[in-house]
Amino acid sequence: MTWMRWAPAMERALYDPDGGFYRRPEGPAGHFRTSVHASPRFARAVARLLLEVDEALGRPEELALVDVGAGRGELLTGVLAELPGEVLARLRPYGVELARRPDGLPSTALWTAEPPRGVTGLLFANEWLDNVPLDAGEVDGDGVLRYREVDTATGEERLGEPVSAADAAWAERWWPVAEPGEVVEFGGPRDAAWARAVAGLERGLAVAVDYGHTAGRRPPFGTFTGFRDGREVPPVPDGSCDVTAHVALDAIAVPGLHSLWTTQREALRALGVSGGRPPLALASTDPAAYLRALGGAGEGAELTDPAGLGGFGWVLQAVRMPPLDVFERAQSLGVLPGWHTLGS
């Protein structure tokens, strides 16, 4: 048996150059379905968001699109296909990913292991933070908060040493636990990773999209899980499967920035994605258009399903830029009743 805390176990299982899960040639799409893979409507919505950001920034000479956790470049490729030529001429796209540059990516896209610095535009991280390695802790029978350790070959867990002062302080601020058996997942590494990414924006909007939770709705027993070949599996950190945990979405917000949180359902509705069926009258006047619209409605319904992808959280943070008209309009019309301002 090889016992490790969860953070180093995740790091090795997911990113080891000699067999980490995310180094595999098939990429994430070979094992699980994200919004990017579910429908081109997601990329279309991100493209619209980028255009809103461009307008709010005054159409800068160079506009950046930074895709953090870019996988195999699916979102970048999809967004580029939706943009008008005038914007493409000014656009500098970045794919931020540890895996090698995928074949077929547009030549204009830069592929890098770290978010760029000093750029102006949109930074978008779709299902990235849930794979940033982190430790977990559990309160023992004596009320002591200890790290959980995992056997990297079997996924079996045990309690280890008491947690550090830094992790204890994070838990006290964001995820208090006191009763024996209560579990906390220490989000400090994710907060730091997001802060580093956002710091690369000179001006613009940073968006983190992930499944997660906020204060008052923390999961009492933790969220570590695995995915392989389209199925949820036990989170064994041996490189054979994805290992992921939900994100404390309110904790990641960088202090001092205008910050909003909502669900994907509400964000995509503001960006024009709907699961509503087309009018039946269209079926008699233009059957082909009706079938296309019906297919699009099904895709929109999947992206906005509150019990599925629509339940993901969106955290938006503005860096030296005015509010976006699309969200201001939506809020004024009451379209986004679930939007919340995140305090710093």
Side-chain angles (χ1 to χ4, degrees):
M1 288 187 175
T2 301
W3 293 96
M4 305 175 71
R5 281 163 40 181
W6 270 106
M10 281 185 71
E11 183 71 37
R12 187 174 73 173
L14 298 180
Y15 305 115
D16 186 87
D18 299 320
F21 180 80
Y22 278 101
R23 305 283 190 171
R24 293 184 173 192
E26 72 270 18
H31 297 275
F32 52 86
R33 183 177 174 87
T34 72
S35 298
V36 179
H37 309 127
S39 168
R41 287 191 163 205
F42 188 77
R44 197 170 302 145
V46 176
R48 179 177 176 186
L49 179 59
L50 178 62
L51 294 177
E52 293 276 350
V53 170
D54 185 37
E55 184 70 24
L57 292 171
R59 299 181 181 177
E61 183 176 337
E62 181 173 289
L63 177 70
L65 171 61
V66 183
D67 181 10
V68 185
R72 299 303 179 267
E74 299 96 334
L75 181 61
L76 271 182
T77 302
V79 172
L80 293 179
E82 298 290 337
L83 296 175
E86 186 277 328
V87 175
L88 285 173
R90 294 183 288 112
L91 188 69
R92 178 59 62 95
Y94 296 85
V96 182
E97 181 60 71
L98 292 178
R100 69 173 182 83
R101 182 188 179 96
D103 297 332
L105 194 68
S107 60
T108 55
L110 301 178
W111 198 256
T112 175
E114 294 289 337
R117 317 297 292 178
V119 298
T120 294
L122 174 64
L123 182 144
F124 199 88
N126 184 57
E127 294 194 52
W128 169 56
L129 287 171
D130 63 283
N131 287 128
V132 172
L134 80 172
D135 281 316
E138 180 179 334
V139 180
D140 70 11
D142 297 321
V144 177
L145 183 57
R146 296 180 177 275
Y147 288 113
R148 275 183 153 184
E149 297 178 342
V150 60
D151 176 18
T152 58
T154 68
E156 181 184 348
E157 290 183 277
R158 72 181 185 187
L159 295 186
E161 62 185 11
V163 304
S164 68
D167 280 337
W170 188 93
E172 184 178 2
R173 170 67 178 86
W174 294 108
W175 194 332
V177 290
E179 297 299 319
E182 285 188 318
V183 173
V184 54
E185 293 162 352
F186 301 106
R190 292 168 171 188
D191 303 348
W194 180 243
R196 287 193 300 271
V198 174
L201 278 179
E202 180 67 27
R203 291 192 304 141
L205 183 71
V207 182
V209 181
D210 235 309
Y211 47 92
H213 42 76
T214 54
R217 298 183 177 181
R218 306 293 189 209
F221 305 114
T223 63
F224 276 94
T225 192
F227 291 94
R228 183 194 303 119
D229 298 330
R231 295 181 297 110
E232 189 169 4
V233 297
V236 180
D238 60 358
S240 68
C241 66
D242 185 23
V243 179
T244 179
H246 293 203
V247 180
L249 293 168
D250 46 347
I252 68 169
V254 178
L257 301 179
H258 180 62
S259 308
L260 294 172
W261 170 85
T262 191
T263 64
Q264 174 157 299
R265 174 181 176 84
E266 292 167 341
L268 290 184
R269 287 173 67 196
L271 292 167
V273 177
S274 169
R277 296 170 63 91
L280 282 174
L282 184 62
S284 56
T285 60
D286 192 339
Y290 176 78
L291 290 176
R292 288 195 300 272
L294 192 63
E299 294 174 357
E302 181 180 4
L303 289 173
T304 59
D305 179 2
L309 295 173
F312 277 39
W314 280 45
V315 175
L316 301 95
Q317 296 204 269
V319 180
R320 303 181 190 92
M321 66 171 287
L324 295 180
D325 287 346
V326 62
F327 295 129
E328 291 292 301
R329 290 195 303 270
Q331 286 181 285
S332 67
L333 295 172
V335 176
L336 300 176
W339 281 74
H340 308 282
T341 300
L342 293 174
S344 57

